[in-house]
Amino acid sequence: MERHSDSDITIRPLDISDSEDFINLYADEKVRKFSSRDAFTSKEAAIEYFMSTDIPHPWIRAICLSGRPVGSISVSPFYGTEKCRAELGYVVASDCWGRGIATAAVKMAAKAVFVDWGHLERLEAVVDVENPGSQRVMEKVGFKREGVLRKYYLLKGRPRDAVIFSLLSTDDPLS
Amino acid sequence: MAENTAENHQKSSKITLRPIQLSDIDDFMVWATDDRVSQYCIWDTYTSKDQALDFIKNNAMPHPWFRVICVENRAVGSISVSPNSGNDSCRGELGYVLAYEHWGKGIATKAVKMVVSSIFREWPHLERLEAYVDANNKGSQRVLEKAGFIREAVLRKHRIIKGKSRDMVVFSIISSDQHLDS
């Protein structure tokens, strides 16, 4: 298996010039399989979504391999009585799967977001039961598998069971 | 499963669910001002009638699904189902509260069962009814188990209650879990 030194894998804020790479990322149906994003009807629609939703996201980073964007990772906050937690999400281009890229990116993002958001105590991830690749990433990073939530969310309009994982600011991998 | 004697006595008292009215304010104050009742709830104990009226008018009455739990037509608590939107719209969250003097009589269990038997028909898009209960709130966990919910996980530091993050147990019932005789 081809492994990269973790120094080859970096995360950085998005730039408007990343729009082309984002369009290509989500044009890949393997990437879209477990994503809430549907295929865009046009390049203009894809750019519009990137500008209106990705760029202003509360916490989003491009995942880069040797400086080239190959994915993205984001943390979405909750509010009010739920502000102690936030939800992690990420995508990686399918031709980059199996190389430890998501694992490295999640480790870096988890460390960074707990520093950026001092009130955050819990980072959680909801992974489709039929997405073992992503479940393994969570386990390798040190997230705790808490259980399976039945018919929890809609994927392409169909209710899905999902595994819920969490990492606390006080958990081992981060201290 | 054997039912306890208290529940058998209570079966003769009629438990009903109905929309809340402003005239329920005094009964509402009984449970809303009680620290024992609010202890595991995300809301803080109410301290004034104005505060309660504001909740009833601006929160409970316009709520998508909110009912008071009545024993012989007097409100002794409330129960609600909160919907979600978009890709989360297949699930709804159950919440309920009961005046302290009516605990331990099977009233909450009965109210939850009544909601379960009707909500999936009222909201055909609903697949999952879930509830989040403080890990230390054993009483409420028993209510959900008796009502047929499945305990799925303990979610660490999931919600803030009384200023501190708490572990919450998540329970769910799926539309296909229901039994025809409930």
Side-chain angles (χ1 to χ4, degrees):
Chain A
M1 182 179 69
E2 204 183 326
R3 299 280 328 192
H4 297 268
S5 75
D6 277 5
S7 57
D8 280 352
I9 303 163
T10 52
I11 59 174
R12 60 149 175 84
L14 297 189
D15 188 79
I16 302 176
S17 60
D18 291 326
S19 63
E20 193 75 31
D21 288 312
F22 260 65
I23 290 168
N24 294 335
L25 187 60
Y26 284 100
D28 182 345
E29 64 177 7
K30 286 198 198 131
V31 167
R32 280 203 317 275
K33 185 177 180 191
F34 292 114
S35 165
S36 55
R37 239 174 258 214
D38 293 320
F40 287 109
T41 49
S42 68
K43 189 165 169 173
E44 287 71 32
I47 293 174
E48 161 63 28
Y49 191 92
F50 175 75
M51 294 299 293
S52 67
T53 304
D54 293 322
I55 288 282
H57 192 283
W59 204 100
I60 188 166
R61 302 288 183 270
I63 302 172
C64 297
L65 181 62
S66 304
R68 180 177 63 94
V70 296
S72 90
I73 186 161
S74 62
V75 179
S76 300
F78 287 86
Y79 302 97
T81 55
E82 300 176 55
K83 68 175 194 244
C84 50
R85 73 176 196 273
E87 185 177 345
L88 176 80
Y90 65 84
V91 287
V92 172
S94 60
D95 58 2
C96 291
W97 289 0
R99 304 192 205 167
I101 291 170
T103 304
V106 170
K107 275 187 189 157
M108 288 187 273
K111 281 206 173 98
V113 79
F114 279 121
V115 168
D116 289 351
W117 293 349
H119 62 277
L120 188 69
E121 299 184 60
R122 169 190 174 89
L123 189 58
E124 64 182 25
V126 173
V127 185
D128 197 284
V129 291
E130 287 180 14
N131 188 355
S134 247
Q135 291 170 38
R136 268 195 304 275
V137 169
M138 293 296 123
E139 280 153 13
K140 282 196 283 183
V141 174
F143 277 65
K144 179 173 181 197
R145 182 191 173 107
E146 290 173 331
V148 175
L149 308 176
R150 303 172 303 156
K151 305 268 191 290
Y152 189 68
Y153 76 110
L154 295 169
L155 181 68
K156 319 287 187 240
R158 297 178 61 221
R160 306 288 302 173
D161 294 351
V163 187
I164 184 148
F165 291 88
S166 74
L167 188 71
L168 301 186
S169 55
T170 49
D171 278 348
D172 244 346
L174 297 173
S175 48
Chain B
M1 172 168 45
E3 288 186 272
N4 64 45
T5 322
E7 280 184 45
N8 283 328
H9 283 306
Q10 205 56 38
K11 269 183 177 149
S12 53
S13 282
K14 196 157 175 251
I15 294 163
T16 51
L17 306 181
R18 62 158 172 81
I20 196 169
Q21 291 145 15
L22 288 173
S23 52
D24 290 320
I25 180 72
D26 289 331
D27 290 329
F28 180 90
M29 290 293 278
V30 168
W31 71 79
T33 57
D34 190 341
D35 285 341
R36 295 168 301 187
V37 172
S38 76
Q39 182 186 5
Y40 294 118
C41 298
I42 57 174
W43 46 272
D44 292 320
T45 313
Y46 284 69
T47 49
S48 79
K49 217 160 171 173
D50 280 341
Q51 199 192 353
L53 275 169
D54 175 69
F55 173 82
I56 292 174
K57 266 191 348 207
N58 300 317
N59 200 309
M61 287 174 109
H63 191 282
W65 208 99
F66 186 103
R67 304 284 183 272
V68 282
I69 303 168
C70 293
V71 173
E72 306 295 338
N73 277 318
R74 285 288 297 275
V76 297
S78 71
I79 189 162
S80 61
V81 181
S82 299
N84 288 287
S85 59
N87 289 325
D88 299 328
S89 61
C90 54
R91 67 178 192 270
E93 184 178 340
L94 177 77
Y96 55 85
V97 62
L98 194 65
Y100 187 79
E101 78 165 281
H102 293 286
W103 288 12
K105 302 179 194 175
I107 295 172
T109 304
K110 174 88 172 97
V112 170
K113 280 183 173 174
M114 289 166 75
V115 170
V116 168
S117 69
S118 66
I119 194 73
F120 292 107
R121 259 180 287 120
E122 286 183 49
W123 290 358
H125 61 279
L126 191 72
E127 303 272 347
R128 168 190 177 88
L129 186 61
E130 59 180 18
Y132 295 84
V133 184
D134 192 301
N136 294 325
N137 188 354
K138 304 295 184 198
S140 222
Q141 291 169 38
R142 268 195 306 274
V143 166
L144 294 168
E145 279 155 9
K146 285 194 287 182
F149 280 65
I150 303 294
R151 182 188 171 110
E152 290 173 333
V154 176
L155 308 178
R156 304 177 300 161
K157 299 202 189 304
H158 193 258
R159 301 242 164 138
I160 297 169
I161 292 178
K162 307 299 177 282
K164 276 189 63 185
S165 61
R166 312 281 172 176
D167 294 351
M168 305 294 285
V169 187
V170 57
F171 288 84
S172 77
I173 196 161
I174 303 302
S175 55
S176 52
D177 282 348
Q178 290 174 94
H179 301 290
L180 295 170
D181 58 7
S182 65

